[in-house]
Amino acid sequence: MKGFSTRSVHDGDLSLRYEGAINTPIFQSSTFAFPTDDPRTWNGEVPEGTYIYSRNANPTVKAVEDKLASLEGGEEALAFSSGMGAIATTLLSFLGKGDNIVSMQDLYGGTYNLLKNEMPRLGIEVKFVPTTSPAELCAAIDKRTKVVYLESPTNPMLKLIDIKETCRLAHKKGCKVLIDNTFATPILQRPLSLGADVVLHSATKYLNGHSDVIAGFAVGSKADMALVHPRRKLFGAIMDPLPAYLVGRGMKTLDLRVRRHDANAMAVAEFLESHPKVTKCLYPGLRSHPDHELAKAQMDGFGGMVSFEVKGGRKAAEKAIKRFEVISMAASLGGVESLASMPVNTSHTAFSKEERKKLGIGDGMIRLSVGIENVEDLCQDLDRALR
Ligand SMILES: Cc1ncc(COP(=O)(O)O)c(C=O)c1O
């Protein structure tokens, strides 16, 4: 099999089919002429490879789906208008009234909100288990559990769960394992190869990488995606052609970008860990991180996210963020530019103070998405602001 960079650049590319264009064309068309000379058209059938309507499928979208499927090692990928669109549509494809989900408690705030507040309204129970132990998590599975839901590394605590062991235990009990791989990307972690059934992404983040698109993906077997595809069409959650082009373009440099994010984050984490104004620094690449050994075994790098607690709590953290010059305060992550946010007033507002405390998210925590800038400039910015 070809390497990641080669597949990132070339796979899914439709260029050879269209006038020799090196880049995949943007098929900015809601509808496509029926092939009137194909008798199946008149029987209401859609011949394989034929496009009818872009809420169902579109060639530019298909190109980026094939690129991601190749990188994740999945049979099929489906592209969505957002990460939340991918997560909600996939969950609703696997679950119905009376079923339940066993989920880690450490989740992106939007996902937590969806599971905690929306699923119960549809008669789907959610059992949050505050652990990253596969055995403890899977002990919560009962006869009605259809899905085990994971994130690794988690947001913002950057905890890891042993994906292979969780999948082994969950599959023994007949459950599907869905995992959000947004933080790691397929460059650093490929959950399907560890046994996961479906990988989910907010492509808004590293996959696109330039903070100019909202997008998402689900990747898995053809059989599982055959459940998700009709729901994506009915819920109207497919990615548009222009974002699909942009995400595909972003993904061509995914390997390069992720390696630089990773190297910069390691240097920033080491710098922060020894900084006098920092009480705690969380990064899976640090030897002090509780999941460092698992990260080395399960991932091909440690990622671009670093979380740290500022001495002096919330006020001191707010003061520091206001002084950043290179780093911007913004809620997202995974773009080329460094961004800082405080979980207490951004990603984790759906959690109560007690819930945040249980997860270890202090009021003075800053989550850094370390960009690809020169790392000396980032450390200088942090140092000046903290002091
Ligand atoms: C880990 C993770 N999953 C999912 C999402 C949701 O993605 P989107 O904002 O593209 O809907 C986010 C967004 O921040 C995220 O960080």
Side-chain angles (χ1 to χ4, degrees), residues 82-84 87 108 111 151 155 180 182-183 202 204-205 214-215 333:
S82 68
M84 288 312 298
I87 294 166
Y108 162 62
T111 308
E151 267 183 36
N155 177 14
D180 185 327
T182 299
F183 272 35
S202 168
T204 312
K205 312 295 177 342
I214 299 284
L333 62 107

Side-chain angles (χ1 to χ4, degrees), residues 276-280 309-320 342 362-365 386:
K277 300 283 184 184
V278 172
T279 56
K280 183 166 78 177
E309 292 274 357
V310 179
K311 201 178 198 170
R314 187 168 181 167
K315 284 245 145 48
E318 285 174 0
K319 215 163 151 185
M342 291 174 65
D363 286 352
M365 178 173 277
L386 286 165

Side-chain angles (χ1 to χ4, degrees), residues 65-82:
E65 288 173 342
D66 289 351
K67 199 183 280 299
L68 186 67
S70 166
L71 294 180
E72 286 287 3
E75 284 178 356
E76 191 172 341
L78 293 172
F80 288 83
S81 53
S82 68

Side-chain angles (χ1 to χ4, degrees), residues 47-352:
E48 175 89 18
T50 305
Y51 293 94
I52 300 290
Y53 190 56
S54 287
R55 178 156 52 76
N56 184 25
N58 172 285
T60 312
V61 176
K62 176 83 170 80
V64 77
E65 288 173 342
D66 289 351
K67 199 183 280 299
L68 186 67
S70 166
L71 294 180
E72 286 287 3
E75 284 178 356
E76 191 172 341
L78 293 172
F80 288 83
S81 53
S82 68
M84 288 312 298
I87 294 166
T89 306
T90 305
L91 285 173
L92 293 176
S93 302
F94 287 112
L95 293 148
K97 194 173 170 186
D99 296 335
N100 73 45
I101 308 171
V102 166
S103 174
M104 289 167 62
Q105 178 112 36
D106 271 66
L107 293 174
Y108 162 62
T111 308
Y112 181 69
N113 200 342
L114 174 76
L115 294 185
K116 187 176 175 213
N117 300 316
E118 296 304 311
M119 291 297 159
R121 289 199 317 118
L122 305 171
I124 300 163
E125 191 202 342
V126 184
K127 299 190 200 183
F128 290 109
V129 191
T131 183
T132 50
S133 146
E136 278 174 32
L137 188 75
C138 293
I141 295 173
D142 64 30
K143 283 201 295 288
R144 291 181 159 182
T145 309
K146 291 275 164 62
V147 164
V148 172
Y149 193 89
L150 311 177
E151 267 183 36
S152 186
T154 63
N155 177 14
M157 296 302 288
L158 304 166
K159 287 185 203 158
L160 273 72
I161 188 159
D162 184 331
I163 300 168
K164 202 170 179 178
E165 179 61 3
T166 310
C167 292
R168 192 183 69 81
L169 296 174
H171 287 159
K172 268 210 306 211
K173 296 187 175 181
C175 300
K176 295 270 181 206
V177 178
L178 274 54
I179 177 164
D180 185 327
N181 201 30
T182 299
F183 272 35
T185 83
I187 303 299
L188 303 182
Q189 175 171 280
R190 287 158 305 280
L192 297 177
S193 73
L194 301 172
D197 297 285
V198 179
V199 167
L200 297 156
H201 274 285
S202 168
T204 312
K205 312 295 177 342
Y206 292 102
L207 294 183
N208 177 59
H210 296 77
S211 306
D212 52 5
V213 161
I214 299 284
F217 284 102
V219 196
S221 68
K222 276 194 185 302
D224 282 341
M225 291 305 107
L227 289 175
V228 182
H229 186 263
R231 272 90 190 184
R232 180 184 71 171
K233 183 176 157 191
L234 283 174
F235 300 162
I238 193 172
M239 194 186 283
D240 261 348
L242 179 58
Y245 172 79
L246 289 169
V247 173
R249 182 171 73 169
M251 280 170 61
K252 290 183 187 198
T253 56
L254 184 66
D255 192 24
L256 284 177
R257 284 187 288 103
V258 167
R259 303 269 168 224
R260 174 69 171 234
H261 284 293
D262 186 72
N264 277 3
M266 188 73 219
V268 164
E270 280 172 343
F271 172 77
L272 288 171
E273 190 171 42
S274 59
H275 199 283
K277 300 283 184 184
V278 172
T279 56
K280 183 166 78 177
C281 179
L282 299 168
Y283 183 65
L286 292 175
R287 253 185 255 140
S288 58
H289 191 281
D291 298 323
H292 179 60
E293 290 306 318
L294 177 58
K296 280 202 295 189
Q298 181 164 277
M299 299 176 71
D300 290 336
F302 306 107
M305 301 301 295
V306 177
S307 296
F308 63 101
E309 292 274 357
V310 179
K311 201 178 198 170
R314 187 168 181 167
K315 284 245 145 48
E318 285 174 0
K319 215 163 151 185
I321 284 189
K322 282 189 203 158
R323 289 187 183 145
F324 288 149
E325 285 173 6
V326 179
I327 303 165
S328 303
M329 180 182 168
S332 196
L333 62 107
V336 290
E337 64 290 304
S338 292
L339 303 177
S341 67
M342 291 174 65
V344 70
N345 58 28
T346 53
S347 58
H348 285 67
T349 47
F351 291 74
S352 68

